[in-house]
Amino acid sequence: MSGAGAPGKFISLEGGEGAGKSTQASRLLTMLAARDIPAILTREPGGSAGAEAIRALLMKGDVGRWSAHAEALLFAAARADHVERCVRPAIEAGTWVVCDRFIDSSRAYQGVAGGLDDAAILALHGFGSGGLLPDRTFLLDMAVDAGRARAAARDGAAADRFAARGDDFHQQVNAAFRGFAAAEPGRFRVIDASGSADAVAEAIRAHLGDWLP
């Protein structure tokens, strides 16, 4: 548990479509509450009033509504507002922050799969959000076809602009996440997301054992 004056932990959940990020973020918040650890649940794009307004622009409409460059700028703007108004104040107050997606999604979707340079994505993040990175990132890893089946069962015909993209795009996204995890083993923990929600939640809990009371 964070002591008085101690900063909170910042945890992100990443992964492709249908991997269970939202479900596991909610379960993680419940688990932290059961241990009397102050925590908040947030998401990207979104998490603040300004960022939620940008989310509506990013997630709705035709797949080709925005170019990868425009998406990267919109995500960076949303993230800057989210970090300034929500994430940093919570961490500084000693509250844990559980975030459904963060900078690594921009690196995967607009960077690797969208054809933009990773250094450019990180430069935007450095300018807009001070380069803030999570203390720990859980990559919920599962095959594209299985994730898309889960997402289709959940969303039906209401898929957003990103979920509606083709398998080749999502294969690149998955490969990007795996590459980030391999390059940053100190921050990432890779979780097999193909099992039950209970099994995935337990794996996440086990990987937080060094921080939990």
Side-chain angles (χ1 to χ4, degrees):
M1 182 173 179
S2 298
K9 301 293 188 182
F10 181 21
I11 300 168
S12 65
L13 289 91
E14 298 283 7
E17 306 302 320
K21 296 176 296 300
S22 298
T23 296
Q24 294 303 325
S26 179
R27 282 180 170 241
L28 178 52
L29 196 76
T30 299
M31 185 270 287
L32 294 174
R35 287 165 170 76
D36 295 323
I37 296 174
I40 61 168
L41 175 61
T42 189
R43 67 175 182 174
E44 290 213 343
S48 65
E52 289 290 340
I54 296 172
R55 179 185 178 89
L57 296 174
L58 279 163
M59 307 304 286
K60 297 177 181 178
D62 184 79
V63 168
R65 181 181 187 183
W66 305 106
S67 69
H69 286 87
E71 285 178 356
L73 290 165
L74 286 166
F75 273 110
R79 184 168 298 119
D81 193 70
H82 181 213
V83 167
E84 180 179 353
R85 298 178 184 275
C86 174
V87 178
R88 283 195 190 277
I91 293 170
E92 290 168 1
T95 299
W96 289 31
V97 176
V98 177
C99 193
D100 181 350
R101 295 194 183 280
F102 196 63
I103 181 60
D104 298 300
S105 279
S106 289
R107 298 174 68 204
Y109 283 77
Q110 286 74 52
V112 174
L116 301 186
D117 185 65
D118 190 52
I121 300 290
L122 291 173
L124 282 174
H125 185 54
F127 174 75
S129 301
L132 178 68
L133 291 176
D135 297 300
R136 190 155 297 171
T137 296
F138 289 100
L139 171 57
L140 304 188
D141 186 47
M142 70 184 308
V144 167
D145 56 351
R148 287 174 76 87
R150 276 190 188 176
R154 178 193 66 205
D155 300 331
D160 63 44
R161 292 181 56 250
F162 298 97
R165 297 181 185 186
D167 284 351
D168 287 348
F169 180 90
H170 290 288
Q171 293 287 4
Q172 291 181 67
V173 166
N174 273 14
F177 280 130
R178 291 166 184 160
F180 301 154
E184 296 184 67
R187 175 163 70 92
F188 278 85
R189 302 292 185 272
V190 180
I191 306 294
D192 180 0
S194 63
S196 69
D198 286 345
V200 174
E202 174 55 27
I204 290 173
R205 187 209 60 75
H207 281 291
L208 286 174
D210 55 328
W211 289 350
L212 296 175

